[in-house]
């Protein structure tokens, strides 16, 4: 008859690492600093705590899992720290050949990007058409035509800038996103001044309230939580 004190005690979870060929029990946590013996193969689907991915994070752009319920993911504004240091930093990488390529972007940023690019190109087109009307107006109302010309030149500059900035935003540049937000505010000012000049020649984007509303939608999409997480992921891998 064996002594009860000499009976083997049940093994405590985590007291001894599993040996080769043994399957670790559910909830098993290896001791800190433990290295598995040579030749040990974990069972299929087993992940150590350090290998488990956290929800709401990008492993790389384009691979995103929605944050779990109760996890923070709302709006949080921070001043960008990736501002351009030279003129070359402002130009899109690879030129304008990849203008319509949006691989890796979340849906919100894809929609926002195409809004900026298409509205910018349309603004350039209508601005050039309006330029001919303003030139003809100089023969009849030179003072009003001069004001309209200034507004048109600003509108053309804004339209060209938003195309370039949208391409930089697509690269994950937070400063470009902030600049596009400022452009939306400039579009509002141009719309106000353009509406005051309703009796004069057309100034293109300057009198287009619809253009401002579209840019406002693009701004909101850039600052949604899913877009915020993508910018942080790109910034972390840069």
């Amino acid at each position: 008859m064996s002594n009860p004190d000499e009976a083997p005690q049940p093994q405590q979870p985590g007291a001894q690492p599993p040996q080769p060929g043994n399957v670790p029990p559910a909830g098993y946590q290896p001791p800190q600093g433990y290295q598995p013996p040579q030749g040990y193969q974990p069972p299929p689907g087993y992940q150590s705590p350090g290998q488990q991915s956290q929800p709401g994070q990008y492993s790389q752009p384009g691979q995103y899992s929605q944050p779990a319920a109760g996890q923070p993911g709302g709006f949080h504004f921070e001043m960008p720290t990736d501002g351009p240091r030279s003129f070359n930093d402002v130009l899109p990488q690879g030129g304008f050949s990849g203008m319509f390529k949006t691989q890796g972007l979340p849906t919100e940023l894809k929609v926002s990007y195409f809004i900026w690019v298409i509205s910018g190109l349309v603004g350039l087109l209508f601005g050039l058409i309006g330029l001919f009307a303003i030139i003809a107006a100089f023969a009849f109302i030179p003072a009003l035509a001069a004001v309209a010309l200034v507004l048109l030149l600003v509108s053309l500059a804004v339209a060209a800038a938003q195309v370039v900035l949208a391409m930089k935003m697509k690269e994950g540049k937070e400063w470009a996103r902030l600049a596009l937000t400022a452009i939306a505010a400039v579009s509002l000012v141009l719309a106000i001044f353009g509406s005051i000049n309703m009796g004069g020649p057309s100034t293109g984007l300057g009198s287009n309230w619809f253009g401002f509303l579209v840019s406002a939608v693009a701004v909101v999409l850039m600052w949604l939580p899913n877009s915020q997480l993508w910018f942080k992921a790109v910034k972390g891998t840069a």
Side-chain angles (χ1 to χ4, degrees):
M1 182 175 180
S2 61
N3 190 338
D5 295 336
E6 297 177 356
Q9 299 295 326
Q11 186 176 8
Q12 299 295 328
Q16 184 178 3
Q19 299 300 320
N22 294 338
V23 178
Y28 170 76
Q29 299 290 338
Q32 185 176 4
Y34 165 72
Q35 296 293 333
Q38 186 176 5
Y40 171 71
Q41 296 293 332
Y46 173 76
Q47 284 188 337
S48 63
Q51 294 175 336
Q52 296 176 356
S53 59
Q54 298 296 327
Q57 300 291 335
Y58 280 86
S59 58
Q60 53 181 314
Q63 297 182 359
Y64 171 71
S65 59
Q66 293 292 339
Q71 287 203 352
F75 175 79
H76 179 65
F77 175 76
E78 293 180 358
M79 287 298 296
T81 58
D82 56 352
R85 299 181 179 180
S86 64
F87 181 74
N88 291 331
D89 293 339
V90 179
L91 299 178
Q93 295 180 0
F96 293 91
S97 58
M99 179 180 296
F100 296 102
K101 297 179 180 179
T102 57
Q103 290 86 350
L105 290 179
T107 303
E108 294 88 341
L109 284 181
K110 285 182 180 180
V111 176
S112 177
Y113 172 76
F114 280 119
I115 288 177
W116 286 118
V117 171
I118 294 176
S119 62
L121 295 177
V122 171
L124 289 173
L125 176 62
F126 279 92
L128 293 176
I129 295 175
L131 180 61
F132 294 102
I134 292 176
I135 293 175
F138 269 100
F140 306 98
I141 42 175
L144 194 58
V147 175
L149 179 61
V150 172
L151 291 175
L152 177 63
L153 293 178
V154 175
S155 299
L156 289 173
V158 169
Q162 75 180 51
V163 174
V164 176
L165 291 173
M167 298 189 69
K168 298 302 294 184
M169 182 269 290
K170 184 180 64 172
E171 298 172 9
K173 302 300 182 181
E174 293 182 330
W175 65 266
R177 177 176 59 165
L178 185 61
L180 286 171
T181 305
I183 280 182
V186 174
S187 299
L188 173 61
V189 175
L190 291 175
I192 294 174
F193 277 96
S195 62
I196 296 175
N197 189 38
M198 291 180 63
S202 175
T203 57
L205 289 179
S207 59
N208 192 352
W209 281 97
F210 178 76
F212 162 72
L213 295 177
V214 170
S215 63
V217 173
V219 168
V220 172
L221 291 173
M222 289 191 305
W223 293 95
L224 289 178
N226 201 26
S227 302
Q228 292 267 64
L229 290 173
W230 183 84
F231 277 100
K232 289 181 180 180
V234 174
K235 185 178 180 179
T237 57

